[in-house]
Amino acid sequence: MLADLYTIGSSANHTAPSKNDDIFGLVLTGGYSTRMGADKSLLDYHGKPQREFVFELLGKFCAEVFTSCRKDQDVPPNLHPLPDTFEMKGPLNGILSAFSANPQRCWLILAVDMPYVSEDTLRLLVESRDREKLATCFYNEETQQPEPLLTLWEARAYPSLLKFAEAGNPSPREFLKTHPVNMIDPPDKKTLLNFNYPRGL
């Protein structure tokens, strides 16, 4: 079941990633996993709970990594829990809460339910970074939509994101569609798949 994941995630032929002092990482785990029927952050795709795998993956590129969570979630201290602080539902709460805690940093966001994201995926995203735009993200050709939960958000995006949310717009995807961002193609068709329901890989 994991063969494809390890093949996609292999980085044996690449140089080691380098940390970026101005980038913090955020593991998004704040959903209720209602459709999955089990906590998605604890599912094992790579030999450990997915939240740990994503935390370690982001740590290869980011100066520090945090785990976005609800206030009632039990996240161990070593995963640096960062509870939601805004009165809204959805991932934008986690993104804004991260910026609120560290507004001078860029945030590399990765949702915990995207098991095909690999070191190579993050390397491509970071290397494609456009500092003149508000974010750098992957574009999904199948849905013809940007992917907000695998995105490098620049620090300068925070005021615009906050204004967007205060105007009653809860969707980070809609933000990416209506603001100046850099969209790139994913390295593999499976990269942007997210698992919201129980299924085989």
Side-chain angles (χ1 to χ4, degrees):
M1 180 176 72
L2 297 177
D4 287 343
L5 285 174
Y6 283 119
T7 299
I8 294 172
S10 173
S11 57
N13 297 322
H14 298 276
T15 58
S18 58
K19 292 181 183 289
N20 299 268
D21 291 340
D22 67 328
I23 299 178
F24 279 6
L26 188 68
V27 186
L28 288 175
T29 70
Y32 285 92
S33 302
T34 303
R35 289 170 291 179
M36 180 62 74
D39 189 340
K40 291 187 289 186
S41 70
L42 299 180
L43 297 179
D44 182 351
Y45 301 110
H46 302 274
K48 62 183 64 178
Q50 181 67 359
R51 67 185 182 185
E52 294 181 20
F53 176 81
V54 175
F55 188 93
E56 294 172 5
L57 186 63
L58 289 171
K60 296 178 180 182
F61 297 88
C62 305
E64 293 188 43
V65 182
F66 298 84
T67 299
S68 171
C69 57
R70 303 186 313 276
K71 293 179 180 179
D72 62 339
Q73 276 182 278
D74 184 16
V75 177
N78 65 300
L79 295 182
H80 303 163
L82 201 166
D84 292 341
T85 58
F86 288 80
E87 296 299 323
M88 67 177 72
K89 294 182 179 181
L92 187 56
N93 195 336
I95 298 170
L96 288 174
S97 297
F99 270 123
S100 178
N102 291 281
Q104 303 304 318
R105 303 287 183 167
C106 306
W107 284 92
L108 179 55
I109 307 297
L110 176 53
V112 77
D113 60 0
M114 301 177 72
Y116 287 109
V117 174
S118 69
E119 185 177 310
D120 290 341
T121 308
L122 296 187
R123 179 183 290 104
L124 175 60
L125 187 62
V126 171
E127 290 180 350
S128 302
R129 179 183 183 185
D130 186 342
R131 297 170 185 265
E132 298 303 313
K133 302 292 179 64
L134 297 184
T136 298
C137 65
F138 287 109
Y139 182 76
N140 190 326
E141 279 195 13
E142 284 191 15
T143 63
Q144 297 188 342
Q145 302 278 352
E147 178 47 66
L149 307 186
L150 173 54
T151 291
L152 177 57
W153 296 89
E154 297 292 337
R156 57 198 298 266
Y158 179 38
S160 297
L161 267 172
L162 187 58
K163 183 178 179 180
F164 187 76
E166 289 174 343
N169 301 303
S171 171
R173 177 173 282 115
E174 287 301 315
F175 181 91
L176 293 175
K177 291 166 62 175
T178 56
H179 290 75
V181 302
N182 180 32
M183 297 189 195
I184 62 174
D185 293 326
D188 186 277
K189 289 184 178 180
K190 288 185 175 182
T191 300
L192 302 184
L193 289 178
N194 65 332
F195 285 18
N196 289 315
Y197 297 92
R199 70 188 203 185
L201 298 179

